[in-house]
Amino acid sequence: MENLIQSLTERVKQAASNNTPLAIHGGNSKSFYGGAIRGDALDLRAYTGIIDYEPKELVLTVRAGTPLQEIETALEAAGQMLPFEPPYYADTATIGGTVATGLSGPRRPYTGAVRDFVLGTRIINGKGEDLSFGGRVIKNVAGYDVSRLMTGAMGTLGVLLDISFKVLPKPTDEITLRFEMDEATAIQRFNEWAGKPLPISATSWHQGVAMVRLSGAAAGVKAAREKLGGEAVADAQAFWRDLRDHRAPFFEDAEPLRRLSVPSTTSPLSLDLPQWIEWGGALRWVKGAADVKVLREKIASVGGHATLFRHGDKSVGVFHPLAPVLAKIHVNLKAAFDPDNILNPGRMDNFS
Amino acid sequence: MAALPETNIAASRAALAGRLSGILPPDALLTEAEDLKPYECDGLSAYRALPMLAVLPQTVEEVQRILRVATETETKVVARGSGTGLSGGATPLGDGILMSMAKFNRIVSVDPLARTARVQPGVRNQKISEEVAYLGLYYAPDPSSQIACSIGGNVAENSGGVHCLKYGLTVHNILKIEVVTIEGETATIGSDALDSPGYDLLALITGSEGMLGITTEVTVKLVPKPQLARVVMASFDDVEKAGDAVANVIGAGIVPAGLEMMDKLATEAVEDFVHAGYDLDAEAILLCESDGTPEEVEEEIAKMETVMKASGATACRTSNSESERLKFWSGRKAAFPAVGRISPDYYCIDGSIPRRALAPTLRRTEELSKKYGLRCANVFHAGDGNLHPLILFDANVEGELERTEAVAAELLELCIEYGGTITGEHGVGIEKINQMCSQFSDAEREMFFAVKRAFDEKLLLNPGKAIPTLNRCAEYGRMRVSGGKMPHSDIPRF
């Protein structure tokens, strides 16, 4: 593997000296996401395998090209999980792409996001330097938290090599409850329930139906179920997986799909577009044609941001524009990590 | 860096005070030595310096004005909260401005439905939980200094606490911060939503030791207060067995609310002090806490007791009331002052290791303690691998501080060797700046400087802390070659 790292490092150095951009990829399961892809492909799939996993440490270290499936299978065997419930979008998903896109699944508001569980990374920066930040221990405050900075940076700051995560035991019991209620009531309830000591691990609202997943020790789940009411759902696992991976029919057509990340208590947005709410109200998926400028202004006015997630016209920008003061810091950071602008240029398209 | 001659400092002080007095209320500017004295050190009191002058802004506009003057005059700025930091992150610079955020002491608003609070950086950590207790909510990170430490300092150091294995560090419990850049511009980092567009600057700034911007407001997450908490106290006749018990608890699929270990010297010191009922025959005791609904706690406590006994606990007691639980914890919480009673001085180490390296690390600690003739009490956030060996010494005895620093340096190098880190939660500051040379390569440290320059091109915010220069590391490398201990402990450390 050290030979492979050597050759990856050489590729980056060469690209920097020739000024030819590189398009970093793993399983291409999320290539639809982010700004347009340009540059020579830099395939990380050969850089694969679990480096270190000791369940009693709650720490896992893996190579970026490792298939997500392989990792989750290994964790499952030890009764543990990646607590952010990573979306796959396709079976080919790798852990590198998971961290680079920074996307988390239904459990996110209740347990944390990808960035909350990244402990350390080894990367190649745009100068072809092989660098390690963070570590394999749960508490670590030596130096700036560059590893979390890599999370969600769309590969624009470095090629991810190794990543260490904190993992958690998988809850032993799980049940999903179904309620019929309107959008405003669902948002209100989700927020009220999150303020109570209940083992909620996922929430969803779509077309008048709210779903609430409870996960934890048997006694706690049972007590919470009695408190909340609702009716138990059979085959709930498939429901949450289809929502996580956008396999539900709502997500399957070619309409522009927007990801609206808003404060969880935001009242119904009344956008007149088909909508699916999760994350206790903090994530609202809408699809269909919309005036981007009007939409962004509206979402910004409630304290959120809008991303064009899939399909639609990317030329108007995929990510929400940054305030000038932040855009300047982004430009500086990009130049610090990748002075020749060769790593996934344009994939994060809200500053330049 | 050589200190400026005193006459130059006086001239610079006068010039700068002239500029600042025009933009600040009179009581917000301190220039007399007697007024500056309270700011000469933080919790790492071995390192002291009088700042050139101190400012106590009360509004964001005042912070902006001060930083604009600092930028124009290229004057360094060190921000300070409550000054409880243990690594010298807020130690002033003799040729710099010390900015106290003490007047930013308001809880701006609480949103019960969203479970968030907007607080100013000078608000004490514990004050937040007290303020929202009536809602059944609290702010989870609970550093031992929580009665005094400020939330701004917590953000600067990414503070943890005894409950962070389950509830996370500061970085996991804040949503948004308002900062002022060194150029005096305001910026909102993070948001009231669960994520923000662009790079994760919130994570980058948390734990950056005041080197990237000045925080003027923090939006924290509040979480439901568990209905019940109980703690199991288990005794072991061998430290390694206690270490195995820790691994077995985690291996059984339990994430305890807190999991702490103390060795014999530590329990003796605290028992004498607070009478927590600790087993004085034990070589090590573990405190293992469960919290949640009564049903959850009952189930988890039963599991914990089974694991402790199977791991060879010689005694096992579980708290049966809130007052008993607090009594069990009182000893752990008082560990530092208790050790302070049995020794004129003590030095706290803050390394983190993978838990499996616990036994060899403790053995090595004992060897070093014998080799250097210094007693060492071990207090340990066992659940997350964060060691706090307390080395007992007397600064008035010639050579003891130097020997203590030598033990600390060797132990931190050992943490790095085991894949751990030189600081789990106290920060690098000036205290551990040399060990940064061992943990990171030249290129990695240069990358840190590049990050700093992305925010602070002229390196004016808290310079000389956290990230050592190449020169400094070269010098440290030469010193380590000559025997592993730190000669010339009188040279300026920043």
Side-chain angles (χ1 to χ4, degrees):
Chain A
M1 284 294 167
E2 288 305 310
N3 286 344
L4 185 53
I5 292 175
Q6 189 90 38
S7 77
L8 288 167
T9 309
E10 282 309 315
R11 280 280 313 272
V12 174
K13 279 185 186 158
Q14 212 166 51
S17 68
N18 302 340
N19 233 323
T20 49
L22 293 171
I24 309 160
H25 73 89
N28 277 318
S29 61
K30 299 170 188 70
S31 51
F32 62 84
Y33 178 66
I37 296 171
R38 62 187 181 90
D40 299 339
L42 185 70
D43 188 347
L44 264 289
R45 278 174 302 178
Y47 190 69
T48 182
I50 294 173
I51 296 171
D52 190 16
Y53 174 44
E54 170 53 63
K56 288 179 179 180
E57 296 283 339
L58 295 180
V59 175
L60 165 81
T61 303
V62 290
R63 297 190 181 92
T66 315
L68 198 48
Q69 224 146 44
E70 183 183 327
I71 293 168
E72 292 211 303
T73 305
L75 287 164
E76 177 83 45
Q80 297 187 339
M81 62 175 185
L82 291 170
F84 46 91
E85 206 173 357
Y88 281 67
Y89 297 114
D91 293 341
T92 53
T94 62
I95 194 69
T98 302
V99 172
T101 54
L103 297 168
S104 305
R107 200 182 296 274
R108 191 268 173 257
Y110 307 100
T111 318
V114 193
R115 56 89 92 168
D116 291 317
F117 293 93
V118 168
L119 299 175
T121 51
R122 178 177 177 184
I123 64 160
I124 303 171
N125 69 5
K127 295 191 261 186
E129 293 171 330
D130 175 353
L131 310 168
S132 294
F133 299 100
R136 297 184 188 185
V137 285
I138 289 168
K139 278 160 93 178
N140 186 353
V141 291
Y144 302 128
D145 201 340
V146 173
S147 299
R148 288 197 168 93
L149 180 65
M150 291 295 140
T151 311
M154 301 295 291
T156 59
L157 298 178
V159 181
L160 287 166
L161 291 176
D162 304 340
I163 309 152
S164 294
F165 296 93
K166 178 182 173 185
V167 299
L168 286 178
K170 216 175 144 110
T172 49
D173 273 60
E174 198 154 276
I175 188 172
T176 296
L177 303 173
R178 182 183 188 279
F179 303 82
E180 284 188 18
M181 56 177 78
D182 64 24
E183 184 186 355
T185 310
I187 293 167
Q188 179 74 19
R189 292 279 179 280
F190 289 165
N191 280 284
E192 285 169 2
W193 288 335
K196 303 261 183 312
L198 296 165
I200 296 175
S201 70
T203 40
S204 152
W205 180 88
H206 181 55
Q207 288 182 332
V209 175
M211 304 279 253
V212 176
R213 186 176 67 188
L214 303 170
S215 313
V221 169
K222 188 165 164 283
R225 182 190 171 179
E226 281 159 15
K227 213 169 284 175
L228 291 180
E231 62 179 286
V233 178
D235 200 22
Q237 259 185 330
F239 170 81
W240 294 110
R241 189 198 55 220
D242 289 352
L243 172 57
R244 182 194 73 189
D245 288 342
H246 289 183
R247 285 202 259 168
F250 172 88
F251 297 101
E252 283 195 326
D253 53 33
E255 293 279 306
L257 177 69
R258 289 191 168 79
R259 178 186 187 279
L260 311 179
S261 176
V262 295
S264 63
T265 51
T266 308
S267 326
L269 291 165
S270 311
L271 295 170
D272 216 12
L273 292 169
Q275 180 186 218
W276 197 313
I277 298 179
E278 51 171 332
W279 289 13
L283 185 55
R284 305 187 190 186
W285 300 98
V286 294
K287 64 174 181 176
D291 181 324
V292 179
K293 199 165 167 284
V294 173
L295 181 79
R296 278 184 180 151
E297 270 169 23
K298 171 150 191 167
I299 299 305
S301 74
V302 299
H305 64 105
T307 307
L308 176 61
F309 193 75
R310 200 169 201 161
H311 310 302
D313 176 15
K314 290 189 175 188
S315 68
V316 290
V318 170
F319 295 106
H320 206 99
L322 298 170
V325 60
L326 295 183
K328 192 168 87 183
I329 293 170
H330 278 66
V331 169
N332 291 347
L333 281 172
K334 173 72 172 159
F337 282 88
D338 179 21
D340 297 302
N341 194 27
I342 51 153
L343 300 177
N344 281 3
R347 285 282 269 157
M348 188 172 269
D349 64 356
N350 48 356
F351 67 92
S352 57
Chain B
M1 188 204 73
L4 288 176
E6 194 52 41
T7 47
N8 287 5
I9 297 250
S12 309
R13 177 185 292 131
L16 193 61
R19 293 280 309 262
L20 292 171
S21 63
I23 57 168
L24 291 174
D27 62 346
L29 176 64
L30 307 176
T31 54
E32 298 303 318
E34 64 193 65
D35 296 327
L36 296 173
K37 191 86 177 154
Y39 301 102
E40 68 176 352
C41 68
D42 63 7
L44 184 72
S45 55
Y47 301 87
R48 289 165 195 266
L50 275 192
M52 181 159 65
L53 52 79
V55 289
L56 292 92
Q58 193 158 18
T59 65
V60 173
E61 291 70 30
E62 285 171 9
V63 173
Q64 290 180 275
R65 284 185 221 135
I66 295 164
L67 293 178
R68 280 189 207 117
V69 169
T71 294
E72 272 171 46
T73 56
E74 302 204 2
T75 310
K76 299 163 193 168
V77 180
V78 178
R80 173 190 172 102
S82 299
T84 56
L86 294 170
S87 56
T91 308
L93 301 175
D95 56 351
I97 298 171
L98 188 283
M99 191 189 295
S100 164
M101 300 304 281
K103 287 186 181 170
F104 280 78
N105 59 359
R106 280 191 313 118
I107 293 180
V108 180
S109 63
V110 174
D111 185 336
L113 188 60
R115 293 147 280 123
T116 59
R118 285 171 56 204
V119 304
Q120 293 188 326
V123 171
R124 289 176 299 109
N125 172 299
Q126 189 164 293
K127 169 94 173 154
I128 303 171
S129 294
E130 288 166 1
E131 200 77 10
V132 300
Y134 76 99
L135 296 167
L137 301 171
Y138 77 115
Y139 176 64
D142 58 344
S144 298
S145 57
Q146 71 182 137
I147 41 169
C149 65
S150 70
I151 193 74
N154 289 179
V155 171
E157 303 293 333
N158 191 17
S159 305
V162 295
H163 291 96
C164 65
L165 180 66
K166 186 168 176 181
Y167 293 102
L169 307 160
T170 303
V171 71
H172 302 110
N173 287 281
I174 58 175
L175 276 175
K176 181 172 83 169
I177 53 178
E178 301 293 339
V179 302
V180 180
T181 67
I182 185 65
E183 282 152 345
E185 285 184 279
T186 57
T188 303
I189 312 280
S191 76
D192 291 319
L194 289 175
D195 44 41
S196 306
Y199 298 139
D200 197 335
L201 301 184
L202 188 61
L204 190 63
I205 291 187
T206 309
S208 66
E209 305 198 16
M211 296 175 72
L212 304 182
I214 304 288
T215 304
T216 55
E217 190 180 297
V218 186
T219 301
V220 301
K221 293 185 205 173
L222 304 171
V223 293
K225 203 165 163 46
Q227 285 169 275
L228 181 67
R230 293 179 72 195
V231 63
V232 176
M233 179 163 72
S235 313
F236 292 86
D237 57 10
D238 179 86
V239 174
E240 283 186 40
K241 278 189 203 161
D244 289 342
V246 170
N248 294 339
V249 168
I250 308 287
I254 302 168
V255 178
L259 183 50
E260 298 283 313
M261 188 196 286
M262 292 167 77
D263 73 359
K264 195 167 188 168
L265 183 53
T267 48
E268 279 171 2
V270 300
E271 193 52 34
D272 216 26
F273 184 32
V274 295
H275 313 293
Y278 289 173
D279 179 354
L280 294 175
D281 295 325
E283 285 300 315
I285 65 159
L286 287 181
L287 290 168
C288 185
E289 181 157 289
S290 170
D291 67 9
T293 62
E295 300 85 5
E296 288 167 332
V297 172
E298 190 186 343
E299 192 175 324
E300 199 167 76
I301 286 281
K303 271 200 209 170
M304 286 172 175
E305 289 172 339
T306 308
V307 174
M308 291 298 174
K309 283 171 192 155
S311 308
T314 52
C316 200
R317 286 166 61 195
T318 302
S319 65
N320 280 313
S321 65
E322 184 61 9
S323 64
E324 194 176 20
R325 183 183 79 88
L326 294 175
K327 192 175 161 199
F328 285 3
W329 276 113
S330 67
R332 170 59 188 88
K333 296 238 173 187
F336 287 26
V339 167
R341 284 174 81 237
I342 61 166
S343 173
D345 299 284
Y346 68 88
Y347 188 103
C348 175
I349 298 175
D350 175 44
S352 258
I353 49 167
R355 275 185 301 266
R356 62 185 152 209
L358 176 59
T361 306
L362 289 174
R363 267 201 302 275
R364 184 72 187 135
T365 307
E366 208 183 324
E367 284 166 21
L368 287 170
S369 152
K370 284 196 183 119
K371 177 177 158 193
Y372 287 96
L374 296 165
R375 290 183 299 164
C376 181
N378 281 291
V379 180
F380 182 44
H381 298 305
D384 41 39
N386 190 192
L387 298 161
H388 289 321
L390 302 170
I391 304 169
L392 280 51
F393 73 102
D394 184 347
N396 290 323
V397 175
E398 176 80 27
E400 281 213 354
L401 174 63
E402 290 69 22
R403 296 212 307 277
T404 302
E405 287 183 324
V407 175
E410 280 199 46
L411 276 177
L412 292 178
E413 299 282 338
L414 192 70
C415 291
I416 299 171
E417 225 173 274
Y418 284 128
T421 177
I422 58 169
T423 173
E425 58 181 358
H426 296 167
V428 174
I430 49 175
E431 185 203 20
K432 280 158 288 217
I433 196 157
N434 285 328
Q435 280 77 35
M436 287 292 284
C437 307
S438 308
Q439 186 162 338
F440 295 98
S441 69
D442 290 354
E444 286 156 359
R445 276 179 273 106
E446 278 307 297
M447 202 66 249
F448 286 142
F449 274 116
V451 167
K452 175 153 177 64
R453 282 192 296 268
F455 288 80
D456 172 19
E457 200 189 335
K458 294 174 175 169
L459 307 180
L460 296 175
L461 281 170
N462 213 7
K465 311 284 178 69
I467 318 294
T469 59
L470 290 178
N471 279 343
R472 190 185 176 99
C473 286
E475 188 191 339
Y476 179 61
R478 278 196 298 278
M479 292 200 299
R480 283 173 59 221
V481 173
S482 62
K485 55 179 187 177
M486 293 270 297
H488 315 302
S489 58
D490 56 329
I491 60 167
R493 299 289 180 100
F494 51 92

